[in-house]
Amino acid sequence: MTARRQVASASGTTDLRAIPVRGIRDVFAGDSIADLVVDALALGGLRLHEGDILVLKHKIVSKAEDRRVPLDSVKPSVAARQFAARNGADPRVVELALREAKRVVRKKHVLITETQHGFVCANSGVDVSNVDGGKTAVLLPAEPDLSAAQIHRKLKKRTGLHIPVIIADSFGRPWREGLCEVAIGVAGMKVLHDYRGRVDPYGYKMHATEEAVADELACVAGLVCGKNSRIPACIIRGCPYRRGAGSARRLVRAAENDLFR
């Protein structure tokens, strides 16, 4: 089943489709994500087309890059045990989150950190769900943009097509309930559409409008992939993206421009 909606582009209105990639097996260290996706599509009678965008849940990328940590190998620090005791958390997960953090942003109720990548999120992105029932934690890819670039190049080699790649994760939001997908790694497309200086349909010149296209596409894929459906990849078809040297780091607001730092 595919999700559809009408989207406007410079050339008119097109049909945007979100196509789940079904049949990807469990991922192990050393696996080629590009090959797994192409093979799963072929088994389902599908293939990639020019203009497609591939969105991947970060967990399969992390698994392929062996970013797993057995929890019984983690020795929590005093700080990790204290936070876990106050907030009903697993001290081993807290310890991993502290190790992965560049700085701790908040330690009340939920551990909010800034990762080495510059992402501000809960627990440094350390996750135990959808792994092996709680025995192992998965860390974010060490260099998500590089991971996306490698998959992008492998897809080009395998299919001959320019397929932008977005690696997505679920982040909470300061003033809204619920999680939304965000792009943590991107290759093959520009992540922002800058409308500053353009005139809107009513003649107003826009001054501050930048659209986070990569994040929006990650959210579209999130609706199709779900949380428990075992669908870790999605093809976005019909989106008039802009080619370029994309990077999810472009989506991280610099500290000097941050409204709350």
Side-chain angles (χ1 to χ4, degrees), residues 61-249:
V61 178
S62 293
K63 289 178 178 179
E65 295 178 356
D66 200 20
R67 295 281 286 166
R68 305 189 203 208
V69 180
L71 288 177
D72 61 8
S73 71
V74 179
K75 294 184 178 180
S77 62
V78 172
R81 291 198 302 269
Q82 289 175 343
F83 178 86
R86 289 196 305 269
N87 297 282
D90 186 328
R92 300 168 299 176
V93 175
V94 176
E95 175 63 25
L96 289 174
L98 293 174
R99 292 181 192 176
E100 291 294 301
K102 180 162 64 175
R103 70 183 179 101
V104 174
V105 178
R106 178 185 170 91
K107 290 181 69 175
K108 186 177 181 181
H109 305 309
V110 178
L111 181 62
I112 305 296
T113 63
E114 180 181 357
T115 71
Q116 301 298 326
H117 323 83
F119 308 135
V120 176
C121 59
N123 297 319
S124 300
V126 177
D127 199 354
V128 182
S129 65
N130 290 308
V131 184
D132 59 2
K135 301 175 184 177
T136 305
V138 171
L139 313 180
L140 295 180
E143 294 286 345
D145 282 328
L146 177 61
S147 302
Q150 291 172 340
I151 297 168
H152 174 66
R153 287 194 295 269
K154 184 62 181 288
L155 287 171
K156 176 73 173 180
K157 184 176 180 180
R158 177 80 188 265
T159 68
L161 302 174
H162 179 97
I163 306 294
V165 174
I166 297 172
I167 299 173
D169 192 15
S170 301
F171 282 12
R173 300 166 295 166
W175 299 293
R176 306 282 289 182
E177 294 291 348
L179 303 173
C180 275
E181 299 296 311
V182 299
I184 65 168
V186 180
M189 64 174 286
K190 293 184 178 180
V191 298
L192 291 166
H193 287 186
D194 191 348
Y195 294 94
R196 292 173 297 182
R198 297 191 184 188
V199 177
D200 72 14
Y202 297 92
Y204 177 77
K205 186 176 181 179
M206 293 180 279
H207 299 283
T209 303
E210 283 188 293
E211 186 178 9
V213 177
D215 283 344
E216 291 177 324
L217 291 171
C219 285
V220 171
L223 293 173
V224 171
C225 293
K227 298 299 178 188
N228 296 308
S229 59
R230 297 180 68 87
I231 300 174
C234 174
I235 304 300
I236 306 295
R237 183 167 293 165
C239 177
Y241 71 88
R242 300 172 185 175
R243 287 197 187 196
S247 167
R249 287 188 181 272

